[in-house]
Amino acid sequence: MKSVRGYLLTQEFQLFWDYVSPHWAGKYLDRWSIRVMRSKIEPMKKVAKTVRRHKPLILNWFKARKAYSSGKVEGLNTKIKFTTRKSYGFITYRRAEIALYHVLGKLLEPKMTRRFY
């Protein structure tokens, strides 16, 4: 039952992007985050806390009339292309995928059990 409630809450959040006014979008965001916090679904509560922390930055998107800069997207694409170029020597696609996760997600490298000198 929690999975259905979580799915419905994520679908409700999509309505947030239909607002035009930052004021009403902020009110919707507040009501949505209250519902999520009462849902007792821990991963969703974590998302709601993050959204609450970043609320002013999210509402800036409405103040800018839904315009955005594509600079960050271009930077990510450049990183992806560079990592893909480096990963041609990998044996499997899965290893190339892991390399992308490490580059884009800034994941920590696992500790090696052996040292290579």
Side-chain angles (χ1 to χ4, degrees):
M1 194 64 176
K2 283 186 179 182
S3 60
V4 173
R5 281 188 313 198
Y7 176 76
L8 291 174
L9 286 169
T10 57
Q11 293 304 310
E12 283 180 26
F13 185 74
Q14 293 302 316
L15 297 174
F16 168 73
W17 302 110
D18 294 337
Y19 281 90
V20 177
S21 165
H23 174 74
W24 291 109
K27 287 197 175 291
Y28 183 82
L29 199 60
D30 291 338
R31 281 182 286 148
W32 180 82
S33 61
I34 288 170
R35 289 190 65 202
V36 169
M37 296 306 279
R38 290 181 181 169
S39 72
K40 298 179 183 175
I41 303 171
E42 288 305 318
M44 292 293 293
K45 288 169 77 171
K46 185 177 177 183
V47 170
K49 288 177 186 175
T50 303
V51 167
R52 280 181 177 176
R53 265 196 324 270
H54 296 359
K55 181 182 170 185
L57 297 174
I58 294 170
L59 293 179
N60 278 341
W61 187 68
F62 292 97
K63 292 174 186 170
R65 293 183 175 36
K66 301 183 181 181
Y68 59 91
S69 170
S70 63
K72 290 186 179 188
V73 175
E74 291 299 324
L76 283 175
N77 283 338
T78 303
K79 279 186 174 183
I80 290 171
K81 286 179 185 176
F82 180 69
T83 305
T84 306
R85 219 175 312 131
K86 282 189 340 184
S87 67
Y88 281 138
F90 291 161
I91 296 171
T92 63
Y93 173 76
R94 179 71 180 141
R95 291 183 184 177
E97 184 181 9
I98 290 170
L100 282 171
Y101 286 141
H102 279 285
V103 169
L104 298 176
K106 296 183 182 174
L107 299 174
L108 298 174
E109 297 280 335
K111 290 189 177 183
M112 301 293 285
T113 55
R114 297 183 183 152
R115 288 190 176 180
F116 299 99
Y117 297 101

